[in-house]
Amino acid sequence: MDTLGALALATEKPTDELMENPPVGRTAPLITNIMWRNLLSQAFYQISILLTLQFRGKLIFNVNEKVKDTLIFNTFVLCQVFNEFNARKLEKKNVFKGIHRNKLFLAIIAITIVLQVLMVEFLKKFADTERLNWGQWGACVGLAAMSWPIGWIVKCIPVPERPVFSYIKAITYNKLQFFMHTTKP
């Protein structure tokens, strides 16, 4: 599933707006502050949902262990699918703008969803899953779809221009300098 997601995002053509940005230096961080903001928000959301399902899923859905595990697996994969739309446009709130122009992206998303349905519904032995009913599918899709409003809200949070890790580096350097000056004989 990760391979298909990476392939889907790699099909996005560069925009004129992207071409207007200045070049990025060799020493610039690979993951920008904007990427960190988006990544951490989705990670916190997905971890909280998946841990809730892990420890309370049987009680919430009144199901056995195997169905609970299938719910976790299905929700996880669907969260990745929904978040691929957020990852298309890191700073733009409208992640659907121009999506109709990228047929390959849409095809890969469709293939991912079809494969997921097949694994959950028909490949029980291969994928070690249980079939889900319509309500359970709806819950998985609903939880995964929350990635979109979370992505939109998070994009309202401004990020500093300076790389986040440079602050940590500066603090560490200053503490080291202080320590070296205070421990001189």
Side-chain angles (χ1 to χ4, degrees), residues 119-130:
M119 287 191 355
V120 169
E121 295 297 318
F122 303 108
L123 300 176
K124 289 173 52 169
K125 298 244 189 246
F126 173 75
D128 197 28
T129 58
E130 284 292 318

Side-chain angles (χ1 to χ4, degrees), residues 17 22 24 27 44 57 63 71 105 110 126-127 129 140-141 168:
E17 185 179 311
V24 178
T27 59
F44 286 137
V63 294
L71 286 165
F105 177 84
F126 173 75
T129 58
C140 292
V141 170
I168 296 169

Side-chain angles (χ1 to χ4, degrees), residues 12 85 88 95-103 105-106:
E12 198 67 35
F85 289 87
R88 284 183 65 240
V95 295
F96 304 108
K97 184 177 181 181
I99 197 149
H100 63 284
R101 285 185 239 124
N102 195 343
K103 306 280 191 251
F105 177 84
L106 294 173

Side-chain angles (χ1 to χ4, degrees), residues 38-105:
N38 298 349
L39 185 138
L40 290 173
S41 65
Q42 291 296 325
F44 286 137
Y45 171 69
Q46 290 181 25
I47 288 169
S48 65
I49 290 302
L50 298 175
L51 286 175
T52 300
L53 290 175
Q54 176 65 32
F55 295 109
R56 297 283 183 237
K58 283 170 51 175
L59 185 67
I60 293 169
F61 289 99
N62 194 28
V63 294
N64 64 33
E65 188 73 21
K66 194 140 182 172
V67 173
K68 179 202 77 166
D69 290 345
T70 303
L71 286 165
I72 292 170
F73 168 64
N74 200 36
T75 302
F76 172 75
V77 171
L78 292 175
C79 278
Q80 305 321 304
V81 170
F82 277 82
N83 194 39
E84 285 174 33
F85 289 87
N86 287 330
R88 284 183 65 240
K89 307 283 185 188
L90 296 176
E91 297 182 69
K92 304 291 183 200
K93 292 179 185 166
N94 183 1
V95 295
F96 304 108
K97 184 177 181 181
I99 197 149
H100 63 284
R101 285 185 239 124
N102 195 343
K103 306 280 191 251
L104 189 53
F105 177 84

